[in-house]
Structure formats: C-alpha cells, structure tokens
Amino acid sequence: MSMARLNLIEDKRFLLHDPGSGHPERPERLPAVRRGCMAAFADVQSVQPVEATESDLLRVHTAGHVERVLAARGQRVVFDADTATSPGSVEAALLAAGGAIVATRAVIEAPDALWFCNIRPPGHHAEANRAMGFCLFNNVAVAAAWALAQDPTLRVAIIDPDVHHGNGTQAIFWNEPRVLYISLHQAPFYPGTGSAAETGGPAAPGSVINFPLPAGAGDAEYLAIVRDAVRPALSAFRPGLLLISAGFDAHRLDPLGGLRVTTEGFGAFFAEIGAWARAAGVPVATMLEGGYSLEALESAVPASLQGLAGAFPAVGPVEPPVPAVAARMAEVRRQLGL
Ligand SMILES: [Zn+2]
C-alpha cells in the first residue's frame, strides 16, 4: 500500500462511450484501473474532468476534424473499421481531452503531485485531421499544446510506451522543436509508422525518437531503453513538463499486443521515469491510452503509478536486450553524443 496521494481523473460519462459490441476498448477497462488503484494507494482523490473547449482542440486538430467529431454527438458514426461513436462518445472524448488538461495544469502547479487520467476514448492515434485506431481527439497532444499556450518558452517531452506507435502525436508535433516525442512500440504492427528513420521535421530535427521492437520483446528491452536511452534523451532535451501517453497493451497478458512486459516491468519502467523527473524537478502527468487485458490494467496501472511515485520495489537484473534493440539504442546514444 502506497502512502502517496493519487489523483485520478475519472467520470462515469467515460463509460457511455461504446465503440461497438465485442470491441476491445470497452468501458470495463476503467473500473479495472480504479480497483487496482484503490487496492494499491491509501489515498485516492477522484477529480472530475471538464470538457475541452473548441479552442483547446483547435491547437492540434483541424476545424474540419473538430466539426466532424462534434457532429457525431448523440449518434453512432463510423470513422474507420475500428473507430466508431455511440450517443455518449463525443461527450466522453471532450472530457478525456479536457481531463488531460486538468491533470497537466495540476502537475504544473504542484510538481510533486501524482496524477493519472483514467480516461477513454484513448488519443494517440488521432491525427490533426482524422479519427483512427479507437481515438477521436488526441488527448496527450491537446494537453501538451495547452501547456505550450500557457508558456511559449516551455519544452514538453511525451513518452509513449503503448504497444502501438502514436502516429497521431508524432504527426501533430512533427515540426515542433518544443516537443520531444519518444515511442516504444511493436514493429511491424498497427499503425505501421514509427521507424527509427522518423526523427522530426526540418524545423525540429531529433524531436522524434522511435524504438521499434520485435514481437516477444519485454522487460529487458523496456528497462534497457528507459535507463540507457530515454533518460539521457530527457536530460539532453531538458523538458519543463513530462507527459506519459500510457498504454498498457505491451503487457504480456494483452490480447492485441505481441510484447511481453510484465507488471513488475511496468513498475520498474515508470520508476526510472519518476526518478529522473524528481531529480530534475519536472512535473509528470500520465494519461491512459491502450491496454485491453482487464487483469493487466488492474495490476500494471497501479504498479506504474507506484513506480512514478518512487514506491515500487527495485527489480533484479534482467537479460540484455535483443540485438536489434541494442543496436537501435547504440544509435540513439550516438546521436545524443554519449
Ligand atoms: Zn495501443
């Protein structure tokens, strides 16, 4: 049981988003996260989100996209083969993006506070002009852009350990030197983006760092990457805000993903990020993305949040990463001048 206070963005209206019968991104995911957090934290503070405004959304989405999603309010609209709305979906999506802003504002005001957005629909596949991959609005991008609008001199790092590459987040900030996007994801895999060669646009070289991972990769790869590549990349970029686009579908129990990260691996991965952020005095806010095993969500979300708070037991030595990953890490370290 952790003594840290956990602030959870949550709202019953998130449960009204129903992308269709049998869809893996189902409402039951959020109560599973809540159960795990209640068992792991002595002090859980529930905080209601507010809807993102149109101007919040327009910082990262086109007017056409915002208009199309808002027009789906109260209806079932199919955006792509696996992205559809039910009557409550648009409200949930506005609350998810708005909740990400609430948590981001809170950690900027109180950098030691622990915040998790237990929100859905997820966001990292949503592009400026397109809903896709279960995502309507890009929650983490909306939060990052909100923070940049408050302080144009801010630098924001986004870490995305979801098993899928966050194509939307990468594309939105492709040419934005104030945002560093780091993704660990299975490849080849949906959505097909996220190669090592994608490193940012002409105005923002090096602002994207991708770690494509072969199926079967797990704790060894996640821990080596966060320790020996992500932490040095953060130290080089010197962000004033860290957002975690936290998918848990890299968990070994996940029915969609082919990676093998354990609950202990997630705890240790987040512990590395938390230790870096505390030492640097950088606020961290974490937003739920994917994760489709209820059992994995119930254990790995609280383990990760305990890790962030510095309350997760250190894991023992892990195997070295597989050669392809070790080579990619060496390349990133060279680019960082290490
Ligand atoms: Zn995912």
Side-chain angles (χ1 to χ4, degrees):
M1 185 70 77
S2 174
M3 290 300 130
R5 164 175 287 185
L6 170 61
N7 300 282
L8 269 188
I9 296 280
E10 48 184 3
D11 196 298
K12 287 193 165 58
R13 289 171 286 179
F14 289 131
L15 307 181
L16 300 178
H17 168 51
D18 174 10
S21 153
H23 199 291
E25 204 286 279
R26 57 204 194 280
E28 291 79 4
R29 298 172 65 233
L30 302 192
V33 168
R34 161 161 258 276
R35 278 195 304 279
C37 290
M38 295 303 286
F41 286 85
D43 183 1
V44 177
Q45 193 75 25
S46 183
V47 179
Q48 274 207 333
V50 291
E51 291 188 2
T53 64
E54 275 195 55
S55 59
D56 292 331
L57 300 169
L58 289 170
R59 290 190 192 104
V60 304
H61 291 293
T62 63
H65 177 69
V66 171
E67 202 174 296
R68 277 193 299 282
V69 175
L70 294 182
R73 212 187 252 272
Q75 306 178 55
R76 177 162 173 87
V77 172
V78 176
F79 285 91
D80 74 13
D82 46 30
T83 314
T85 61
S86 61
S89 296
V90 173
E91 191 174 16
L94 290 168
L95 290 165
I101 294 176
V102 170
T104 299
R105 177 192 288 124
V107 298
I108 289 173
E109 286 171 2
D112 294 333
L114 182 62
W115 282 76
F116 183 74
C117 301
N118 196 18
I119 58 178
R120 60 187 289 277
H124 73 155
H125 295 305
E127 296 187 349
N129 195 30
R130 165 154 90 135
M132 67 177 269
F134 314 169
C135 303
L136 298 175
F137 297 126
N138 194 314
N139 306 318
V140 75
V142 167
W146 174 85
L148 290 170
Q150 312 314 301
D151 175 5
T153 69
L154 188 67
R155 295 159 70 81
V156 184
I158 300 173
I159 300 176
D160 183 342
D162 189 285
V163 77
H164 304 100
H165 181 243
N167 59 291
T169 313
Q170 173 176 297
I172 285 167
F173 295 121
W174 182 248
N175 214 22
E176 172 51 82
R178 296 174 298 171
V179 177
L180 173 67
Y181 175 71
I182 303 177
S183 176
L184 292 76
H185 50 271
Q186 185 178 337
F189 205 46
Y190 182 89
T193 50
S195 82
E198 297 162 20
T199 56
S207 68
V208 169
I209 305 178
N210 284 315
F211 292 95
L213 306 173
D219 289 358
E221 287 73 28
Y222 267 60
L223 295 183
I225 289 170
V226 73
R227 237 183 353 235
D228 299 331
V230 173
R231 284 181 57 149
L234 292 173
S235 295
F237 183 71
R238 288 182 292 105
L241 171 67
L242 186 50
L243 302 178
I244 307 180
S245 198
F248 294 87
D249 40 12
H251 196 284
R252 62 192 310 149
L253 294 177
D254 194 84
L256 301 190
L259 299 187
R260 303 185 54 80
V261 182
T262 65
T263 291
E264 294 69 30
F266 273 108
F269 179 88
F270 277 74
E272 290 284 339
I273 298 172
W276 182 89
R278 269 191 308 284
V282 172
V284 184
T286 307
M287 292 98 192
L288 182 64
E289 296 283 0
Y292 306 101
S293 157
L294 300 185
E295 191 184 338
L297 287 168
E298 186 169 347
S299 68
V301 174
S304 299
L305 296 171
Q306 287 178 323
L308 264 189
F312 194 79
V315 292
V318 293
E319 300 286 305
V322 296
V325 173
R328 174 62 186 140
M329 286 174 55
E331 184 183 18
V332 169
R333 289 177 60 85
R334 257 197 318 276
Q335 282 159 359
L336 291 168
L338 297 169

